[in-house]
Amino acid sequence: DAKTTQPTSMDCAEGRAANLPCNHSTISGNEYVYWYRQIHSQGPQYIIHGLKNNETNEMASLIITEDRKSSTLILPHATLRDTAVYYCIVRGFLLNYGGSQGNLIFGKGTKLSVKP
Amino acid sequence: ETGVTQSPTHLIKTRGQQVTLRCSSQSGHNTVSWYQQALGQGPQFIFQYYREEENGRGNFPPRFSGLQFPNYSSELNVNALELDDSALYLCASSRDSGPEAFFGQGTRLTVV
C-alpha cells in the first residue's frame, strides 16, 4: 500500500471551511484514497473515500488531483466537534473479497483544532 | 443496527500474564479486524478474521492470537504480556461488500 504524507497539525476557525491536504505520490492505479478521523478517546470514524473523481457526502468533500498524487479533504463548515486527528489512507479495494477493509495503514494523521 | 462494542473498556494486567479482549461486530458484518494504538501513534493492524478464518496479519508476534465465532464476534488473546503491550486495542467490523470499517471505542490495556 502507498504511503501518505500529511501536515502534523492545522487550525481552523469555527464556521469556516477546513481543508486538509494529503500527498500520496506513489499511489497505484487500483488504490483508493480513504479518510478517517479519530476524536479523542474514541475509535476511528470513516469519513469518505474515492478513486479518481471528486466525492461528496453528508460529512465532507474529497478532491483528488487529476494525477491522483494528492488529495484534499474539505469540511465545509467546521464546528468544535470536528476537532480530531484526521487520517488519510490509500489502499486497494477488492470487490467480493472477504475482509477487504482490513489492513488499513494509519500514519500519524493531522491534528485539526477548530477554534471558536 | 447496533454498533461495534468492545469489552472491557479498561484493564490492568501484570507483566507475564495473559489477557482476552472481546468484540461484538456490527449487525450484518462478517469481517473483524484488530488494531493496537500506542499513545500518540496511529492504529497498527494486528490481524483480520473473515468468516472465522484469519486472512491477514500485521507485524505482530505469535503471542497475539485471535478467534472469530459463528456470530462473527471476536476475541483477541495476548500471552506473556510485556510492558510495551500497554495500548488502546481497537476492533473494527465491516461487510465484504462495503468500503468502510466501523470501529469500537476500544479497550485500554495497561501492563504493569
Side-chain angles (χ1 to χ4, degrees):
Chain A
D1 292 327
K3 292 184 179 178
T4 62
T5 304
Q6 298 178 252
T8 303
S9 64
M10 293 182 64
D11 290 341
C12 178
E14 189 178 19
R16 304 297 293 268
N19 297 284
L20 292 93
C22 179
N23 287 322
H24 31 79
S25 58
T26 59
I27 192 170
S28 60
N30 65 346
E31 288 183 318
Y32 285 68
V33 180
Y34 289 80
W35 283 83
Y36 281 76
R37 74 179 183 184
Q38 188 172 24
I39 296 171
H40 184 62
S41 299
Q42 297 183 20
Q45 176 190 23
Y46 166 84
I47 301 173
I48 199 167
H49 77 286
L51 183 62
K52 55 183 178 180
N53 297 321
N54 298 337
E55 302 287 344
T56 295
N57 63 19
E58 64 278 5
M59 288 183 68
S61 295
L62 174 60
I63 309 297
I64 303 174
T65 58
E66 192 169 343
D67 63 7
R68 303 209 323 122
K69 293 185 177 182
S70 65
S71 60
T72 301
L73 178 74
I74 301 172
L75 307 178
H77 305 287
T79 71
L80 299 179
R81 287 179 293 182
D82 292 322
T83 292
V85 178
Y86 287 77
Y87 297 100
C88 170
I89 301 166
V90 294
R91 75 180 308 278
F93 178 61
L94 303 176
L95 287 174
N96 300 318
Y97 174 72
S100 61
Q101 292 315 304
N103 199 18
L104 293 169
I105 300 174
F106 291 83
K108 291 191 175 181
T110 296
K111 181 169 174 52
L112 175 69
S113 297
V114 181
K115 300 181 183 299
Chain B
E1 186 173 79
T2 58
V4 178
T5 57
Q6 294 187 241
S7 62
T9 54
H10 296 83
L11 198 54
I12 299 175
K13 287 286 192 179
T14 302
R15 189 172 51 184
Q17 284 188 314
Q18 178 264 345
V19 69
T20 297
L21 309 182
R22 295 179 174 82
C23 172
S24 293
S25 58
Q26 188 157 322
S27 176
H29 288 188
N30 54 18
T31 303
V32 172
S33 303
W34 286 91
Y35 292 79
Q36 180 195 66
Q37 187 172 23
L39 206 59
Q41 305 294 317
Q44 300 298 306
F45 174 70
I46 302 174
F47 47 57
Q48 174 178 272
Y49 280 81
Y50 171 63
R51 296 184 177 178
E52 303 178 59
E53 297 284 334
E54 182 181 305
N55 75 339
R57 190 177 184 93
N59 188 25
F60 281 81
R63 59 190 185 83
F64 286 78
S65 63
L67 282 173
Q68 187 180 29
F69 300 99
N71 66 355
Y72 302 132
S73 65
S74 177
E75 286 182 354
L76 164 66
N77 299 289
V78 187
N79 293 322
L81 284 166
E82 301 176 359
L83 297 179
D84 284 349
D85 295 333
S86 295
L88 180 68
Y89 288 85
L90 294 159
C91 166
S93 74
S94 58
R95 277 187 285 259
D96 55 5
S97 59
E100 55 196 279
F102 294 82
F103 283 81
Q105 297 284 76
T107 293
R108 173 72 63 186
L109 173 66
T110 302
V111 182
V112 298

